[in-house]
Amino acid sequence: MQNQKRVVIDSISPQINDGEFFIKRVVNQIVTVNSHVLTDGHDIIAASVLYKHENDKKWREARMQHVNNDEWIASFVVEKQGFYAYKVQGWVDYALNWQHGITRKIEDNQYVTSELLEGIEYIKEIAKKSSEDEKKYLKQLEVLFSNEEKYSEAIIEAQSEKLHAIFSKYPKKHLANTSKIFQVYVDRLKAQFSTWYEFFPRSSSEVEGVHGTFKDCEKLLPRVSEMGFDTLYFPPVHPIGEVNRKGKNNTTEAFEGDVGSTWGIGSKDGGHKDIHSQLGSINDFKSLIVQAKNLGIEIAMDYALQAAPDHPWVKEHPSWFKWRPDGTVQYAENPPKKYQDILPIYWESKDYKALWDECLDTLFYWIDCGVNVFRVDNPHTKPYYFWNWIINEVKKKHPDVLFLAEAFTRPKVMQQLAKQGYTQSYTYFTWRNNKHELIEYMTELTQTEQREYMRPNFWPNTPDINPFHLQGANESKYIQRYVLAATLSSSIGIYGPVFEQMISDGLPGKEEYLNSEKFQLCNYNWTKENKLTTLITKLNKIRHQNEALQQTNNIKFCTIENENLIAFYKWNDDKTNELLIVISLDDNNEQQGTVQLPLSDLGISNGHQLEVCDLITGSCYNWNTEWNYIELHPSLPFHIFKLKK
Amino acid sequence: MQNQKRVVIDSISPQINDGEFFIKRVVNQIVTVNSHVLTDGHDIIAASVLYKHENDKKWREARMQHVNNDEWIASFVVEKQGFYAYKVQGWVDYALNWQHGITRKIEDNQYVTSELLEGIEYIKEIAKKSSEDEKKYLKQLEVLFSNEEKYSEAIIEAQSEKLHAIFSKYPKKHLANTSKIFQVYVDRLKAQFSTWYEFFPRSSSEVEGVHGTFKDCEKLLPRVSEMGFDTLYFPPVHPIGEVNRKGKNNTTEAFEGDVGSTWGIGSKDGGHKDIHSQLGSINDFKSLIVQAKNLGIEIAMDYALQAAPDHPWVKEHPSWFKWRPDGTVQYAENPPKKYQDILPIYWESKDYKALWDECLDTLFYWIDCGVNVFRVDNPHTKPYYFWNWIINEVKKKHPDVLFLAEAFTRPKVMQQLAKQGYTQSYTYFTWRNNKHELIEYMTELTQTEQREYMRPNFWPNTPDINPFHLQGANESKYIQRYVLAATLSSSIGIYGPVFEQMISDGLPGKEEYLNSEKFQLCNYNWTKENKLTTLITKLNKIRHQNEALQQTNNIKFCTIENENLIAFYKWNDDKTNELLIVISLDDNNEQQGTVQLPLSDLGISNGHQLEVCDLITGSCYNWNTEWNYIELHPSLPFHIFKLKK
């Protein structure tokens, strides 16, 4: 037999797959819970969101407010890293119901002595748990309500705000109903707000043709820091396979001196827990991590689960690879394409537990060396449940560790990886170029369920993707792509110095870099400064100074009647920081338009005097109409206006 | 440690609250399941919907097809009443993957002897479970694939359709993943397709002022049957309370001879299991049920869980009612309104189990008398979980029994009752009058999740609702309201004979009938025939002859550029029955417009010769363009065109 509960709780949000996966937040962020809460009949109900950190014993309570049409809402702040649980509770509030009824009857001039006696029952119960002052008041009411001679006084108190407040404060929750429990995982702020720079350590030498080292990298840290980056991501730093090593420009034959792909991990010198000797020693690496940290930079490591044919795993754990009937080992392929320098892991291996453990141990090893951020290579070619397990195992011990999924693939695959636990995800931003595409994609990321579990990281380029629109592009285009990333998404990254130095020659017809560092050493002028480095530095500073740019979901696009101009409003949670951003998508011509201010979001009306200050140029304007004129030149194709009401 | 499964299953539909509630179908209907199914990497996957009736031991399998973007689909037919379970299963198909790879390599002119040897492994495994013929073929391949001399023959067979078909037929399902189980409850057809008529048995007498009896009702059955109704619903037929009995027109004082409200159930003569003696005996009632059944009519009984103050329960089970501190019993109220002739059930009663059991026993009692349909009065004022329990308990023993929820209240309350198990629901149709409202409401009912659990029953009027638009309305308006109900919804009902005789005087300013039968006897000319009875009879016949009108969800509104004309396309599952319906919403003026045919749904192109035949007038037209002229007069304000391609 079912229970007697009368309240029904339905359609709780946010939640992912009915609680199969956790939603994501960072420390001090708000979780706003919506739910349908209803009961039979006309009784007054109340509802709360109950929540607690995994280490807390007691549930805390946020009372829900009725919004409309049986929809209720409440918010709470997640103050600590780790898991929070939350659930919705609803109950018929018989005491409030009594007060509501007696009030209506008194208004209707009905005689309510019997109702006053009923009220005493509620008062007596609440008196048991209320404060001394309240108890005293309730005792008075108890006497008053049963004294017919003081009827006129009694009916005033029966309807009082004071009594209403006490009833609300001490709900009896008789026959309360409670939903299932949902979870939110709370990360440190960097999970949501991070500014990445990527370079190849082996290209860090100042001397052309000389293999860079971690010591060389140390010298570049101040530049990275001064430009405002907080995360420095290195492609793999492990020994590079010698068997079937790739030549320059991804050719299948390597010649003497060819350094191979850094993703061809493992050789006679070691595997995933070792350092490529030309970069230096493990101690050099640890020292680099410390130096970086002192400058506010975290080193992000590449985590690429695959092996060169001469990786030690192949001999030590042959069952982790697939062996063919002819006795050869299976190399990577996507028929008819072959990748002979790489062996994929055989995830169907019977020995998978040892394999998974070694993968986890590898992460622990580098975490112990000081690494707290991993950029995971092609996670979509490894099982989803493996990621769920390994990320969870790491987070249990090391909640600071963050995982960025480098999956450039189909939408549902990328979403699934995010659901299974990835902290951040690479995105399609790299290819979203015009106004319609950008708004459509941002809407998908920030206005659908994805906002709860998928944290985008916007990269204008990567070593794997030299997008057609950047190949041979002018400076204005590069500025546009950086400012779009930096203002649309709170996590961003560039692959440098090719980005800021606009080195963009591609392999013919491909979105690949010519003479890619993936297969050879490159030599850069690491001291070069240009307009891009100046603007990147300024933009990164603006991101650090404006909370509105430190989360991605709080965005609203503004109407601007020009297909080459995109405008959006950004704000922080308490709206103490509000920005209006306008970016031209035309890198050749001046563009004009009038932008519509989101007046109701700003809480102002037409005619209100608004000061808008451009954070790059320092120019301020006074706007007092809803529609305002904008003019942007390719030389500085954007405004970031701080709004001062 | 998580498992090694590589396939992920996500976003299965249909399902309600992640399987907390069942979806609904009737016998022989289709369940079409959609799901995201994906794996890591590039491997070929396959998926099935597994389903079985609750009494079946073995799961049956419907292979899913990939639609697009990792979305898969499959359908199955539910052939029997009761619960079916369904779930989605997905797996990497290693054999198909092998064939796909070797095909690409052969096309690329690669030498694939090693791949052929791999193929032998898949072939050997499948040979174990295949038919004799297939086994023979596979044995041949085994020899062929290892014979380097027959390489050119081998690579042809390796790519063959025949081998592909065998691989597909016998999937290995290694590391298959399976979703949770969802349920569909399958009712008899009437749950979805029913045509109701309601009258008050006490008004069935031919003689004015004389209380009608079941014997009188029997005489009316041929009329109800000839008009094409299959369900005859009676307001409560139980003894009527004498204490605080209501007078005519809902006045609080009853005079000598006043018959009281039929919903004031219970008196010294008995309660919910008794028959009001003026109607006849229990045997008269049983006889009526049998007579009705012989004419294809089921008697629907009112199930109203409340009591008059003199209901036997009040003395026998005082704890089922709420007693006030002054010793009086709590009557129904919605402060400041009072309903002293009714006591609500006290659902918080400690003795609730006995109460619930008695409620259930009451249903069993009437089911044993031959009743299989219950119209439940105000279900939204009784606990949701009570309904879940009692409906489930009844259905377990009596799957034919149907429950119609008379809840005219807030949307989420009505939806929740349907989720908890109600077979059918009253709707807002009663008040949806103009084109925009009708389309919006139909879209909500048929194009959202509600289509899976909420079966609407469209009533133009009820004894409780004499809608303003029908008060004093002309014949055309009545025709419109009936034809809208009869074609938009597969379940409909009218309260007669006031509807077809257009008796519509209301209480001033209220949507209530003047001199309502709810509180007094009425006398009707039961033999009267008019245009409305003629058209209702024809429309009910058309509904029985056209499967397109026997389910509600298969509807598509057609563009017609006139706010007074509404047009829609209806079809049955296999599209052997297709209708185009056009209804004028103007009861005073002629209306013209051109309607757009849904060509792609019809599977025809512009220029195709289509014959459309009006099922009322028999007129046929040949249409060969997408847009076609319609002209409707208030005298016959609709077309139901049967489409003949």
Side-chain angles (χ1 to χ4, degrees):
Chain A
M1 200 176 263
Q2 289 262 11
N3 60 52
Q4 260 183 303
K5 289 171 187 170
R6 288 181 50 204
V7 169
V8 164
I9 296 161
D10 200 324
S11 303
I12 294 173
S13 73
Q15 48 89 350
I16 312 300
N17 292 33
D18 198 41
E20 181 180 350
F21 304 108
F22 50 79
I23 65 161
K24 294 171 188 166
R25 290 293 184 274
V26 294
V27 168
N28 289 328
Q29 224 179 348
I30 288 173
V31 179
T32 298
V33 179
N34 289 274
S35 177
H36 302 173
V37 187
L38 44 140
T39 189
D40 55 278
H42 311 286
D43 285 352
I44 290 173
I45 60 173
S48 287
V49 170
L50 302 178
Y51 64 100
K52 71 182 195 69
H53 185 269
E54 56 185 322
N55 296 336
D56 293 345
K57 280 185 184 146
K58 277 196 176 170
W59 291 90
R60 294 161 74 183
E61 184 164 4
R63 292 292 283 271
M64 300 187 90
Q65 302 300 315
H66 183 233
V67 184
N68 186 32
N69 203 3
D70 300 307
E71 293 169 14
W72 294 67
I73 194 168
S75 294
F76 63 94
V77 174
V78 286
E79 293 159 342
K80 292 185 284 188
Q81 281 179 245
F83 281 104
Y84 277 75
Y86 60 98
K87 58 186 179 181
V88 172
Q89 187 176 59
W91 62 92
V92 175
D93 198 312
Y94 294 93
L96 286 178
N97 205 41
W98 166 84
Q99 194 182 37
H100 176 82
I102 201 170
T103 302
R104 295 291 154 282
K105 288 174 186 173
I106 293 164
E107 286 165 1
D108 191 49
N109 290 316
Q110 297 178 24
Y111 196 61
V112 293
T113 44
S114 178
E115 283 79 1
L116 287 170
L117 294 178
E118 280 174 336
I120 290 173
E121 293 176 23
Y122 297 114
I123 285 168
K124 273 186 176 167
E125 270 192 54
I126 287 173
K128 290 177 201 159
K129 44 190 172 182
S130 61
S131 73
E132 283 311 311
D133 274 3
E134 291 161 343
K135 211 167 282 187
K136 205 172 142 193
Y137 171 69
L138 293 173
K139 285 282 174 199
Q140 284 169 9
L141 294 195
E142 213 181 305
V143 176
L144 186 65
F145 285 9
S146 53
N147 183 348
E148 288 212 34
E149 285 174 18
K150 294 201 169 175
Y151 180 77
S152 55
E153 202 183 318
I155 62 173
I156 290 168
E157 288 301 330
Q159 302 173 78
S160 76
E161 272 302 315
K162 187 171 178 182
L163 185 57
H164 189 275
I166 293 175
F167 281 161
S168 299
K169 189 172 169 188
Y170 302 104
K172 193 184 167 191
K173 299 193 178 181
H174 179 56
L175 294 174
N177 200 1
T178 309
S179 75
K180 71 185 286 184
I181 292 173
F182 299 95
Q183 287 198 299
V184 48
Y185 184 78
V186 182
D187 270 303
R188 59 190 175 117
L189 178 61
K190 185 172 254 181
Q192 176 179 280
F193 173 51
S194 56
T195 312
W196 295 50
Y197 192 76
E198 170 177 6
F199 74 78
F200 281 72
R202 67 186 181 190
S203 297
S204 61
S205 170
E206 285 170 12
V207 187
E208 187 160 359
V210 172
H211 197 288
T213 65
F214 290 138
K215 290 289 171 209
D216 294 321
C217 293
E218 277 189 20
K219 293 183 205 152
L220 300 178
L221 291 175
R223 174 183 182 272
V224 174
S225 169
E226 280 155 23
M227 283 178 77
F229 293 101
D230 54 44
T231 310
L232 176 56
Y233 154 54
F234 289 156
V237 295
H238 311 301
I240 295 168
E242 288 160 7
V243 176
N244 298 337
R245 177 179 280 195
K246 285 283 178 81
K248 293 187 180 70
N249 285 309
N250 203 15
T251 47
T252 49
E253 201 180 347
F255 295 96
E256 180 71 27
D258 273 348
V259 290
S261 164
T262 54
W263 282 273
I265 298 169
S267 74
K268 64 179 186 311
D269 297 329
H272 282 75
K273 287 177 182 164
D274 298 291
I275 292 287
H276 183 65
S277 59
Q278 287 180 283
L279 291 170
S281 67
I282 181 71
N283 285 333
D284 292 343
F285 186 56
K286 287 182 185 173
S287 158
L288 176 70
I289 291 169
V290 173
Q291 296 295 322
K293 202 172 178 183
N294 292 340
L295 291 166
I297 297 170
E298 291 188 67
I299 301 295
M301 195 169 197
D302 199 290
Y303 187 61
L305 291 175
Q306 55 195 24
D310 40 341
H311 192 294
W313 282 349
V314 183
K315 276 190 186 147
E316 291 164 18
H317 302 281
S319 72
W320 296 356
F321 301 91
K322 193 175 181 193
W323 296 87
R324 308 178 70 198
D326 64 2
T328 62
V329 68
Q330 177 72 56
Y331 47 75
E333 56 178 29
N334 184 10
K337 286 190 238 165
K338 309 174 184 184
Y339 310 92
Q340 286 119 319
D341 61 331
I342 301 286
L343 309 186
I345 302 286
Y346 183 52
W347 296 99
E348 289 86 346
S349 170
K350 290 214 169 88
D351 191 31
Y352 79 100
K353 289 191 181 183
L355 166 68
W356 288 26
D357 281 335
E358 175 60 18
C359 293
L360 177 60
D361 203 57
T362 302
L363 289 172
F364 284 151
Y365 176 81
W366 293 112
I367 292 165
D368 288 344
C369 291
V371 176
N372 266 331
V373 185
F374 294 91
R375 175 270 196 196
V376 179
D377 189 69
N378 280 335
H380 55 295
T381 60
K382 290 93 193 173
Y384 300 97
Y385 298 123
F386 165 74
W387 293 123
N388 184 301
W389 172 81
I390 203 164
I391 293 171
N392 195 43
E393 290 299 311
V394 169
K395 289 283 210 174
K396 268 188 222 166
K397 285 194 183 176
H398 305 285
D400 275 351
V401 173
L402 310 178
F403 293 90
L404 167 62
E406 187 252 355
F408 287 106
T409 178
R410 306 190 305 282
K412 291 183 183 71
V413 174
M414 291 167 67
Q415 291 158 25
Q416 190 64 223
L417 289 164
K419 283 184 179 183
Q420 298 283 353
Y422 271 91
T423 319
Q424 296 186 355
S425 308
Y426 279 70
T427 67
Y428 302 136
F429 167 74
T430 315
W431 299 279
R432 295 294 177 270
N433 213 10
N434 70 42
K435 182 172 175 172
H436 169 74
E437 286 171 349
L438 287 163
I439 293 179
E440 184 183 57
Y441 190 47
M442 287 304 296
T443 302
E444 180 192 322
L445 289 171
T446 66
Q447 309 303 317
T448 71
E449 194 187 65
Q450 286 181 53
R451 62 180 277 134
E452 303 295 344
Y453 65 85
M454 181 136 165
R455 292 201 193 95
N457 193 329
F458 277 17
W459 289 68
N461 74 327
T462 77
D464 293 312
I465 309 161
N466 177 15
F468 289 130
H469 59 245
L470 284 185
Q471 294 185 27
N474 65 15
E475 187 183 65
S476 184
K477 181 72 181 174
Y478 275 84
I479 296 171
Q480 287 168 19
R481 293 303 293 171
Y482 195 81
V483 75
L484 281 168
T487 53
L488 288 171
S489 177
S490 53
S491 283
I492 61 168
I494 53 170
Y495 158 50
V498 300
F499 183 85
E500 68 269 23
Q501 296 186 6
M502 299 189 289
I503 299 165
S504 66
D505 286 348
L507 284 180
K510 292 193 173 178
E511 293 197 309
E512 291 265 1
Y513 283 96
L514 181 69
N515 303 324
S516 169
E517 282 180 278
K518 289 198 288 184
F519 309 103
Q520 66 189 72
L521 297 187
C522 287
N523 182 255
Y524 298 109
N525 175 0
W526 289 99
T527 57
K528 190 169 168 182
E529 290 181 3
N530 63 11
K531 187 165 178 177
L532 263 166
T533 58
T534 306
L535 281 176
I536 288 170
T537 306
K538 282 203 178 193
L539 283 164
N540 289 349
K541 196 164 190 180
I542 289 169
R543 283 163 52 84
H544 275 270
Q545 290 169 340
N546 289 275
E547 279 189 357
L549 297 174
Q550 295 174 13
Q551 56 171 291
T552 304
N553 288 335
N554 50 1
I555 188 166
K556 181 159 192 169
F557 287 95
C558 304
T559 305
I560 183 163
E561 307 289 0
N562 180 332
E563 278 310 292
N564 288 300
L565 295 177
I566 189 168
F568 45 98
Y569 162 63
K570 299 271 305 174
W571 65 95
N572 66 344
D573 280 347
D574 60 8
K575 292 214 173 176
T576 52
N577 182 237
E578 293 174 292
L579 304 178
L580 179 76
I581 291 145
V582 190
I583 302 170
S584 171
L585 304 173
D586 186 336
D587 49 295
N588 288 308
N589 308 291
E590 187 178 301
Q591 292 289 340
Q592 298 92 18
T594 52
V595 63
Q596 183 184 27
L597 285 174
L599 293 181
S600 71
D601 296 281
L602 290 167
I604 60 174
S605 51
N606 202 351
H608 181 100
Q609 182 88 358
L610 187 74
E611 195 189 12
V612 304
C613 291
D614 187 302
L615 294 177
I616 297 286
T617 64
S619 306
C620 292
Y621 309 91
N622 285 310
W623 286 356
N624 54 23
T625 54
E626 185 171 3
W627 293 85
N628 295 279
Y629 181 74
I630 298 286
E631 184 176 295
L632 288 171
H633 304 251
S635 59
L636 193 63
F638 66 95
H639 284 301
I640 300 179
F641 287 127
K642 188 159 189 168
L643 307 182
K644 297 179 186 172
K645 291 184 280 197
Chain B
M1 200 173 263
Q2 290 262 10
N3 59 52
Q4 259 184 304
K5 290 170 187 170
R6 288 181 51 203
V7 170
V8 164
I9 296 161
D10 201 325
S11 303
I12 295 173
S13 73
Q15 47 90 348
I16 311 301
N17 291 32
D18 198 41
E20 181 181 349
F21 304 108
F22 50 78
I23 64 161
K24 295 171 188 167
R25 290 293 185 275
V26 294
V27 168
N28 288 328
Q29 225 180 348
I30 288 173
V31 178
T32 299
V33 179
N34 289 274
S35 177
H36 302 174
V37 186
L38 43 141
T39 189
D40 55 277
H42 311 287
D43 285 352
I44 289 173
I45 60 173
S48 287
V49 170
L50 303 178
Y51 64 99
K52 70 180 195 71
H53 185 269
E54 56 185 321
N55 296 337
D56 292 346
K57 278 183 187 149
K58 277 198 178 170
W59 290 90
R60 294 159 73 183
E61 184 164 5
R63 291 294 282 272
M64 298 186 91
Q65 301 301 315
H66 183 233
V67 184
N68 186 33
N69 204 3
D70 301 308
E71 293 168 15
W72 294 67
I73 195 168
S75 295
F76 62 94
V77 173
V78 286
E79 293 159 341
K80 291 185 285 186
Q81 280 180 245
F83 282 102
Y84 276 75
Y86 61 98
K87 57 186 180 181
V88 172
Q89 187 176 60
W91 61 94
V92 175
D93 197 312
Y94 294 93
L96 287 179
N97 204 41
W98 166 84
Q99 193 180 37
H100 176 81
I102 202 168
T103 302
R104 295 291 154 282
K105 289 174 187 175
I106 293 164
E107 286 165 0
D108 191 48
N109 290 316
Q110 296 179 26
Y111 196 63
V112 293
T113 43
S114 178
E115 284 78 1
L116 287 170
L117 294 179
E118 282 175 335
I120 290 173
E121 292 176 22
Y122 298 114
I123 285 168
K124 272 185 176 168
E125 272 193 53
I126 287 173
K128 290 176 202 160
K129 44 190 173 181
S130 59
S131 72
E132 282 312 311
D133 273 2
E134 291 160 343
K135 211 165 281 188
K136 204 171 145 193
Y137 172 67
L138 293 173
K139 286 279 174 203
Q140 284 169 7
L141 294 194
E142 215 181 302
V143 176
L144 186 64
F145 285 7
S146 52
N147 184 348
E148 288 211 37
E149 285 174 17
K150 296 200 168 174
Y151 180 78
S152 55
E153 201 182 320
I155 62 172
I156 289 168
E157 289 301 331
Q159 303 173 79
S160 76
E161 272 302 314
K162 188 171 178 182
L163 185 55
H164 190 275
I166 292 175
F167 281 161
S168 300
K169 189 173 168 188
Y170 302 104
K172 193 184 169 195
K173 298 193 180 181
H174 179 55
L175 293 174
N177 200 0
T178 309
S179 75
K180 70 185 287 184
I181 292 173
F182 299 95
Q183 287 198 298
V184 47
Y185 184 77
V186 182
D187 270 304
R188 59 189 174 117
L189 177 62
K190 185 172 252 181
Q192 176 179 279
F193 172 51
S194 56
T195 311
W196 296 50
Y197 191 76
E198 170 178 6
F199 73 78
F200 281 71
R202 67 187 181 188
S203 296
S204 61
S205 170
E206 285 172 12
V207 187
E208 186 159 358
V210 171
H211 197 288
T213 65
F214 289 139
K215 289 289 169 208
D216 294 322
C217 294
E218 277 190 24
K219 292 183 204 152
L220 300 178
L221 291 176
R223 175 182 182 270
V224 173
S225 170
E226 280 155 24
M227 282 177 78
F229 293 100
D230 54 46
T231 311
L232 175 57
Y233 154 54
F234 289 156
V237 294
H238 311 301
I240 295 168
E242 288 160 8
V243 176
N244 298 337
R245 177 179 281 194
K246 285 283 180 78
K248 292 187 179 72
N249 285 307
N250 203 15
T251 47
T252 48
E253 201 181 347
F255 295 96
E256 179 70 28
D258 273 348
V259 289
S261 163
T262 54
W263 282 274
I265 298 169
S267 74
K268 63 179 187 310
D269 297 330
H272 281 75
K273 287 178 184 163
D274 298 292
I275 291 287
H276 183 65
S277 58
Q278 287 180 285
L279 291 170
S281 67
I282 181 71
N283 284 333
D284 292 343
F285 186 55
K286 288 183 186 172
S287 157
L288 176 69
I289 292 168
V290 173
Q291 296 295 323
K293 202 170 180 188
N294 291 340
L295 291 167
I297 298 168
E298 291 189 67
I299 300 295
M301 197 170 194
D302 198 289
Y303 187 60
L305 290 175
Q306 56 195 24
D310 41 340
H311 192 294
W313 281 349
V314 184
K315 277 191 185 147
E316 290 164 18
H317 302 283
S319 71
W320 295 358
F321 302 91
K322 193 174 180 196
W323 297 86
R324 308 176 71 197
D326 64 3
T328 62
V329 67
Q330 177 73 57
Y331 47 73
E333 57 179 26
N334 185 9
K337 284 191 239 163
K338 310 175 186 183
Y339 309 92
Q340 286 117 318
D341 62 330
I342 301 286
L343 309 185
I345 301 287
Y346 183 52
W347 295 99
E348 289 87 346
S349 171
K350 290 213 169 90
D351 191 32
Y352 79 99
K353 290 192 179 181
L355 166 67
W356 289 26
D357 280 336
E358 175 62 18
C359 292
L360 178 59
D361 202 57
T362 301
L363 288 172
F364 283 152
Y365 177 79
W366 293 113
I367 292 165
D368 289 343
C369 291
V371 175
N372 265 332
V373 185
F374 293 91
R375 175 270 195 194
V376 179
D377 190 67
N378 280 333
H380 56 294
T381 60
K382 290 95 194 173
Y384 300 97
Y385 298 123
F386 165 74
W387 293 123
N388 185 301
W389 172 81
I390 203 165
I391 293 171
N392 196 41
E393 290 298 310
V394 169
K395 290 282 211 175
K396 268 188 222 166
K397 286 195 182 175
H398 305 284
D400 275 352
V401 173
L402 311 177
F403 293 91
L404 166 63
E406 186 253 355
F408 286 108
T409 180
R410 306 189 306 280
K412 293 185 181 68
V413 174
M414 291 166 68
Q415 290 159 25
Q416 189 64 224
L417 288 164
K419 284 184 178 182
Q420 298 283 354
Y422 271 91
T423 319
Q424 297 186 354
S425 308
Y426 279 69
T427 67
Y428 302 136
F429 167 73
T430 316
W431 298 279
R432 296 294 177 269
N433 213 10
N434 69 44
K435 182 172 176 173
H436 168 75
E437 286 171 348
L438 286 163
I439 293 177
E440 183 184 57
Y441 190 48
M442 286 305 296
T443 302
E444 180 192 322
L445 289 171
T446 66
Q447 309 303 317
T448 71
E449 195 188 65
Q450 286 181 52
R451 62 181 277 135
E452 303 296 343
Y453 66 83
M454 182 136 163
R455 293 201 192 95
N457 194 328
F458 277 17
W459 289 68
N461 75 327
T462 77
D464 293 312
I465 310 161
N466 177 15
F468 289 130
H469 59 245
L470 284 185
Q471 293 184 27
N474 64 16
E475 187 183 67
S476 184
K477 181 73 181 172
Y478 273 85
I479 295 171
Q480 286 168 19
R481 293 304 292 171
Y482 194 81
V483 74
L484 281 168
T487 53
L488 288 171
S489 177
S490 52
S491 283
I492 61 168
I494 54 169
Y495 157 50
V498 300
F499 183 85
E500 69 269 23
Q501 295 186 6
M502 299 190 289
I503 300 165
S504 66
D505 285 348
L507 283 181
K510 292 194 173 175
E511 293 197 309
E512 293 264 2
Y513 283 97
L514 181 69
N515 303 324
S516 168
E517 281 181 281
K518 290 198 287 183
F519 309 103
Q520 65 190 75
L521 298 187
C522 286
N523 182 257
Y524 296 109
N525 175 0
W526 289 98
T527 56
K528 192 169 167 181
E529 288 182 5
N530 61 13
K531 187 165 180 178
L532 264 165
T533 57
T534 306
L535 281 177
I536 288 169
T537 305
K538 281 202 178 192
L539 283 163
N540 289 349
K541 195 165 191 178
I542 289 168
R543 283 163 52 84
H544 275 270
Q545 290 170 340
N546 288 275
E547 279 189 358
L549 297 174
Q550 295 174 13
Q551 57 171 290
T552 304
N553 289 335
N554 51 359
I555 188 166
K556 181 159 192 171
F557 287 95
C558 304
T559 304
I560 182 164
E561 306 290 0
N562 179 332
E563 278 310 292
N564 287 300
L565 295 177
I566 189 168
F568 46 97
Y569 162 63
K570 299 271 305 175
W571 65 96
N572 67 343
D573 280 347
D574 59 8
K575 292 214 174 175
T576 52
N577 182 238
E578 293 174 291
L579 303 178
L580 178 76
I581 291 146
V582 190
I583 302 171
S584 170
L585 303 173
D586 187 338
D587 47 294
N588 288 306
N589 308 292
E590 186 177 302
Q591 292 289 340
Q592 297 91 20
T594 51
V595 63
Q596 183 184 26
L597 283 174
L599 293 181
S600 71
D601 296 281
L602 290 168
I604 61 175
S605 52
N606 203 349
H608 181 101
Q609 182 88 357
L610 188 74
E611 193 191 13
V612 305
C613 292
D614 188 301
L615 293 178
I616 297 287
T617 64
S619 306
C620 293
Y621 309 92
N622 285 311
W623 286 356
N624 53 23
T625 54
E626 185 171 5
W627 293 86
N628 296 281
Y629 181 73
I630 298 287
E631 184 175 296
L632 287 171
H633 303 252
S635 59
L636 193 63
F638 67 95
H639 283 303
I640 300 178
F641 286 127
K642 188 160 190 165
L643 307 181
K644 297 179 187 172
K645 292 185 281 198

